[in-house]
Amino acid sequence: MFTFLMFTGVFGSVPGGVLDGAAGAAAAQREQVPYNAERAERAFKTGQDRYQNGDLSEAVKHFLAALDSWPVHQGAWQWLTAAYQHLDRPEEYQHALFFRER
């Protein structure tokens, strides 16, 4: 499981501007960002299954869930782009295409 920490609010809260040791670790734990590659992969695989069974709207929900868990999941961006194209949703298609190509 991968977890990234956001350190907003940590700086400037003590003299010298930096928390270290147990206080810094506790502050970082309170500010966890829920990125999780394993959860993203499960959502992506479910999305692929829904897509292949013709349930594109449901597939989109799972691809978006995958991207919420892991924003750089290339496969989710690719399949999401295809789903939006088949659903004739041009604005969402262009958005997904932009990130797919990054």
Side-chain angles (χ1 to χ4, degrees):
M1 177 177 177
F2 298 99
T3 302
F4 294 98
L5 302 176
M6 184 181 297
F7 291 101
T8 56
V10 174
F11 300 104
S13 57
V14 295
V18 178
L19 292 175
D20 48 31
Q29 288 296 319
R30 288 190 301 273
E31 299 293 329
Q32 285 189 2
V33 178
Y35 295 132
N36 183 308
E38 294 162 0
R39 184 174 55 230
E41 192 61 23
R42 285 191 304 273
F44 172 65
K45 299 246 184 228
T46 302
Q48 284 181 308
D49 183 56
R50 299 295 190 277
Y51 184 98
Q52 292 169 341
N53 288 321
D55 191 353
L56 300 181
S57 294
E58 208 45 43
V60 164
K61 291 177 188 177
H62 289 282
F63 296 142
L64 290 173
L67 292 166
D68 280 344
S69 294
W70 199 255
V72 295
H73 193 295
Q74 253 339 92
W77 283 115
Q78 291 172 346
W79 285 69
L80 180 63
T81 302
Y84 281 146
Q85 185 175 28
H86 289 295
L87 288 168
D88 194 28
R89 293 169 60 178
E91 289 181 24
E92 291 97 335
Y93 168 78
Q94 288 297 324
H95 175 84
L97 183 62
F98 175 84
F99 286 101
R100 183 187 85 179
E101 294 177 351
R102 298 294 172 270

